[in-house]
């Protein structure tokens, strides 16, 4: 195994992705809406397609805005169907995101035609290629750092998420635990819900554009769910989430480099391996919990 | 309209504004009314029981008054001013089952949530907030349970944590949804004592209650609800067999509860 700058960047991008999604994932898991990230990350497809059709560019900011808007629409329609048609929350989510995803597919295949915006790329991304898309060159004492665009974008998203979570920390705790009491006290649970949905939309779109949706969905849910098993306090849960996310990214990439060659295969997908490692860490947490809870 | 206005005329004490005035309140889901044309004038300092059969709209009455669910029509005044302007004076104790007790917080953190309103948005929790919360926990007899994760408390202790949170709000009016539901005897006693403490401090408590047998002992004002207000008034005038029959219709098991309540009242 040879470790290159490329590998460092892949791990860094993986960690940034795990931290920015996991931070929000804590509150999604605690609000029992873990699959919302999955729904949003699929439902943004028509937004991306419309953005592309309007501008004709693949990297336009309008694609991003379109995607975030359709992500928010998903959250809005899900709540609306849940309330007004009395359809259970999970089912209404399923209705909304599959419909939007289907519209997105039709738009992309039918209207956008043979463009380079292709569905498999949007869904599966390619964390291995992120270091090649350099956004910024910095020279530090003779060493030239080529910072990939994905690392830059995800750092910005992470900082935004950190600021919003810290600034509203007590509001997140209150509205996640007891939305009715929060609303009666003037801390609108609905407002915080849509703020969380907006952050989730921004984060998933930014992240899966860089690294693909499977790792985004995995990092959004698996580390927080494991952390929830390991502690019964909120701040330690956030810290455990971060640690599990970092471990998944690092060990995932190492596993992708080292394990397949043992069996005579080429390297496996790093994003996939990061997801697999997160799943393994969750299993470890689940197995260790009954022992801990008994004491 | 009739009950409220009559009471208003009959009672000199009612010349001060009511603690809670509910006017023409209607809530409907998909055109089906859940509560219909509620008019209530509830006096300051009263311990008010809201009583009625399942599906009578008791929780809906509380939630719509607090603007947690949309009203089809009507308005709610607290001390003569709209609820929105008086939010800070009202504490709400939701049903215990309405939250996830596996949530990663301890008892003290839940009670501290009662102080958030006073802090307002953004401002972090202070030492003074925690101190208030500690006092409130002590008031419900849970001083030793501050750092316990809430899923490791008994049902009764969880209910007391909710009440302590309302105490930490230091409100004037308390809306409580079934605080006596499925609690142990010592918690029931603690809640009764708490209600009396609140009353002697001049607070008003509006409590959804399901146990007809204890209604006349625990409360001094009764609201009988079955989609509409059947009757609202002082306990001794309102807690009558006829009014209960009107509220519950022919439900026999409930009527036998009521009969045992009468016999208990007669004894005391």
């Amino acid at each position: 195994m040879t470790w290159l700058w490329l590998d460092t960047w892949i791990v860094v991008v993986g960690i940034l992705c795990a931290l920015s999604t996991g931070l929000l994932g804590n509150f999604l898991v605690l609000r029992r809406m873990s699959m919302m990230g999955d729904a949003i990350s699929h439902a943004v497809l028509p937004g991306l397609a419309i953005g592309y059709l309007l501008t004709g560019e693949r990297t336009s900011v309008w694609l991003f805005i379109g995607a975030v808007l359709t992500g928010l629409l998903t959250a809005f329609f899900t709540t609306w169907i849940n309330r007004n048609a009395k359809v259970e929350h999970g089912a209404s989510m399923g209705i909304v995101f599959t419909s939007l995803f289907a519209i997105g597919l039709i738009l992309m295949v039918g209207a956008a035609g043979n463009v380079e915006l292709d569905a498999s790329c949007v869904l599966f991304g390619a964390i291995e290629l992120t270091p090649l898309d350099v956004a910024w060159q910095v020279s530090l004492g003779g060493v030239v750092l080529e910072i990939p665009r994905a690392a830059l974008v995800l750092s910005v998203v992470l900082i935004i998420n950190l600021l919003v979570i810290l600034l509203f920390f007590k509001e997140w705790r209150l509205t996640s635990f007891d939305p009715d009491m929060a609303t009666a006290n003037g801390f609108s649970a609905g407002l915080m819900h849509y703020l969380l949905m907006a952050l989730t939309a921004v984060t998933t779109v930014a992240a899966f554009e860089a690294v693909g949706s499977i790792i985004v969905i995995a990092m959004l849910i698996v580390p927080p769910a494991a952390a929830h098993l390991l502690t019964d306090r909120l701040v330690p849960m956030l810290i455990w989430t971060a640690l599990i996310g970092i471990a998944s990214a690092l060990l995932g990439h190492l596993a992708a480099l080292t394990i397949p060659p043992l069996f005579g295969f080429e390297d496996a997908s790093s994003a996939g391996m990061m997801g697999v490692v997160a799943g393994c860490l969750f299993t470890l947490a689940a197995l260790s919990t009954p022992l801990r809870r008994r004491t | 309209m009739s009950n409220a206005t009559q009471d208003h005329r009959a009672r000199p004490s009612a010349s001060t504004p009511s603690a809670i005035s509910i006017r023409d309140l209607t809530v409907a889901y998909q055109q089906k009314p859940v509560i219909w044309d509620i008019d209530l004038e509830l006096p300051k300092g009263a311990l008010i029981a809201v009583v009625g059969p399942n599906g009578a709209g008791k929780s809906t009455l509380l939630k719509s008054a607090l603007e947690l669910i949309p009203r089809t029509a009507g308005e709610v005044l607290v001390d003569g001013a709209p609820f929105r302007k008086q939010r800070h004076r009202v504490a709400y104790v939701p049903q215990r089952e309405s939250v996830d007790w596996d949530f990663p917080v301890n008892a003290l953190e839940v009670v501290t949530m009662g102080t958030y309103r006073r802090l307002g948005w953004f401002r972090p929790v202070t030492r003074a907030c925690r101190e208030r919360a500690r006092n409130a926990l002590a008031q419900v007899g849970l001083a030793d349970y501050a750092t316990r994760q809430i899923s490791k408390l008994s049902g009764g202790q969880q209910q007391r944590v909710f009440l302590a949170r309302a105490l930490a709000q230091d409100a004037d009016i308390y809306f409580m949804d079934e605080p006596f539901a499925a609690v142990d005897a010592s918690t029931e006693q603690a809640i009764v004592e708490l209600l009396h403490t609140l009353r002697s401090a001049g607070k008003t408590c509006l409590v959804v209650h399901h146990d007809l047998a204890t209604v006349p002992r625990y409360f001094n004002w009764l609201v009988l609800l079955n989609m509409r207000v059947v009757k609202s008034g002082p306990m001794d005038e309102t807690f009558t067999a006829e009014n209960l029959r009107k509220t519950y219709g022919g439900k026999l098991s409930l009527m036998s509860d009521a009969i045992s309540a009468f016999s208990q009242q007669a004894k005391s």
Side-chain angles (χ1 to χ4, degrees):
Chain A
M1 185 188 82
T2 44
W3 188 272
L4 307 169
W5 263 111
L6 204 76
D7 297 297
T8 309
W9 280 123
I10 290 171
V11 172
V12 167
V13 168
I15 288 174
L16 287 171
C17 169
L19 293 179
S20 49
T21 55
L23 200 56
L24 304 177
N26 276 290
F27 294 97
L28 291 174
V29 166
L30 290 174
R31 287 162 179 245
R32 308 201 166 217
M33 45 198 314
S34 315
M35 293 313 282
M36 204 65 205
D38 190 1
I40 285 178
S41 61
H42 282 83
V44 294
L45 201 58
L48 286 173
I50 292 169
Y52 175 79
L53 287 175
L54 290 180
T55 61
E57 287 170 56
R58 228 196 109 170
T59 52
S60 152
V61 70
W62 290 106
L63 263 73
F64 186 74
I65 293 171
V68 170
L69 284 179
T70 33
L72 276 177
L73 272 184
T74 314
F76 178 78
F77 282 140
T78 300
T79 311
W80 191 84
I81 291 177
N82 180 227
R83 289 231 177 104
N84 293 287
K86 289 195 173 165
V87 176
E88 174 256 321
H89 190 264
S92 27
M93 199 156 69
I95 294 164
V96 175
F97 93 79
T98 49
S99 309
L100 284 173
F101 186 64
I103 293 171
L105 279 180
I106 291 170
L107 283 175
M108 281 175 103
V109 177
N114 53 350
V115 294
E116 64 276 48
L117 185 75
D118 102 82
S120 69
C121 173
V122 171
L123 272 186
F124 306 116
I127 196 170
E128 293 82 357
L129 301 179
T130 51
L132 305 178
D133 184 2
V134 177
W136 199 16
Q137 282 200 346
V138 200
S139 183
L140 277 178
V143 184
V144 180
L145 272 181
E146 295 186 324
I147 298 175
R149 207 171 66 88
L152 208 61
V153 169
L154 286 172
S155 302
V156 171
V157 170
L158 176 60
I159 289 167
I160 292 172
N161 287 353
L162 258 178
L163 281 179
V164 178
I165 295 293
L166 291 178
L167 199 58
F168 292 98
F169 193 72
K170 80 175 193 300
E171 286 81 4
W172 290 118
R173 171 148 60 193
L174 177 62
T175 56
S176 303
F177 173 64
D178 192 344
D180 279 350
M181 187 271 192
T183 306
N185 270 266
F187 297 102
S188 166
L191 194 71
M192 296 302 283
H193 169 74
Y194 283 109
L195 181 56
L196 182 59
M197 290 301 107
L199 289 176
T200 307
V202 169
T203 307
T204 49
V205 173
F208 88 19
E209 196 204 10
V211 299
S213 72
I214 295 304
I215 180 177
V216 175
I217 296 164
M219 292 302 188
L220 199 56
I221 302 167
V222 181
H228 194 12
L229 292 172
L230 293 172
T231 173
D232 50 23
R233 301 289 304 281
L234 187 52
V235 175
M237 182 171 160
L238 295 177
I239 294 168
W240 271 112
T241 300
L243 293 177
I244 294 168
I246 291 169
S248 305
L250 184 60
L251 297 176
H253 186 60
L254 280 173
L257 289 181
T258 54
I259 293 176
L262 294 181
F263 300 96
F265 295 102
E266 299 266 320
D267 307 2
S269 143
S270 292
M273 270 301 186
M274 289 175 188
V276 171
V277 170
C280 293
L281 291 176
F282 174 86
T283 311
L284 274 179
L287 290 175
S288 74
T289 314
L291 293 170
R292 199 182 59 85
R293 287 258 157 110
R294 237 174 271 151
T295 57
Chain B
M1 232 5 246
S2 52
N3 290 340
T5 35
Q6 273 164 23
D7 283 344
H8 199 82
R9 265 183 246 120
R11 266 158 216 295
S13 63
S15 59
T16 55
S18 308
I20 308 161
S21 312
I22 299 176
R23 291 177 189 160
D24 305 324
L25 179 63
T26 295
V27 175
Y29 289 126
Q30 297 178 322
Q31 273 92 51
K32 268 165 69 186
V34 184
I35 51 174
W36 184 259
D37 201 14
I38 306 288
D39 280 300
L40 286 171
E41 294 292 331
L42 301 169
K44 240 181 227 175
L47 296 180
I48 305 150
V50 180
V51 168
N54 286 337
K58 304 183 292 282
S59 292
T60 305
L61 173 65
L62 259 58
K63 285 187 178 179
S64 60
L66 294 166
E67 298 186 3
L68 297 176
I69 48 179
R71 303 169 188 160
T72 311
E75 61 171 349
V76 174
L77 303 179
V78 170
D79 249 346
F83 166 72
R84 257 164 216 238
K85 293 192 175 142
Q86 301 276 44
R87 234 185 244 288
H88 59 285
R89 301 186 48 202
V90 180
Y92 174 48
V93 182
Q95 284 187 19
R96 184 155 54 84
E97 306 84 68
S98 69
V99 304
D100 170 16
W101 290 91
D102 276 328
F103 200 88
V105 285
N106 63 29
L108 184 68
E109 284 167 333
V110 172
V111 177
T112 309
M113 289 176 189
T115 65
Y116 287 8
R117 164 79 215 179
R118 193 170 285 230
L119 282 170
W121 289 84
F122 308 123
R123 303 244 296 282
V125 175
T126 62
R127 189 179 293 242
C129 294
R130 279 190 209 99
E131 213 37 56
R132 284 167 69 89
R134 243 178 249 285
N135 289 337
L137 258 183
Q139 240 180 302
V140 298
L142 291 180
D144 298 337
Y145 294 83
T147 58
R148 187 161 303 191
Q149 204 271 328
I150 52 174
S151 68
K152 298 187 181 101
L153 298 168
S154 74
Q157 289 168 335
Q158 290 174 346
Q159 189 63 60
R160 282 195 254 174
V161 165
F162 259 16
L163 288 165
R165 184 178 67 175
L167 285 179
Q169 270 183 263
D170 197 17
D172 295 318
I173 293 166
Y174 293 79
F175 281 54
M176 303 182 186
D177 202 345
E178 300 257 20
F180 290 102
V183 297
D184 52 282
S186 69
T187 297
E188 179 142 353
Q189 199 46 48
I191 301 174
V192 170
E193 278 165 25
L194 189 69
L195 287 175
H196 285 290
T197 315
L198 288 172
R199 193 194 169 196
S200 46
K203 317 278 187 184
T204 310
C205 300
L206 183 69
V207 183
V208 174
H209 194 54
H210 62 289
D211 181 14
L212 283 174
T214 52
V215 161
R217 271 190 292 144
Y218 292 174
F219 300 95
N220 62 13
W221 190 278
L222 180 62
V223 175
L224 289 164
L225 188 75
N226 192 349
M227 201 167 87
R228 298 157 190 271
V229 174
V230 177
K231 197 83 183 174
S232 165
M235 188 60 69
D236 45 0
E237 294 169 20
T238 318
F239 194 75
T240 65
E242 199 205 337
N243 284 340
L244 288 173
R245 201 175 304 121
K246 275 191 209 158
T247 312
Y248 284 91
K251 286 172 190 158
L252 285 172
S253 61
L254 287 158
M255 283 313 290
S256 63
D257 273 0
I259 290 160
S260 72
F262 280 119
S263 54
Q264 284 193 12
Q265 198 184 22
K267 269 183 244 157
S268 61

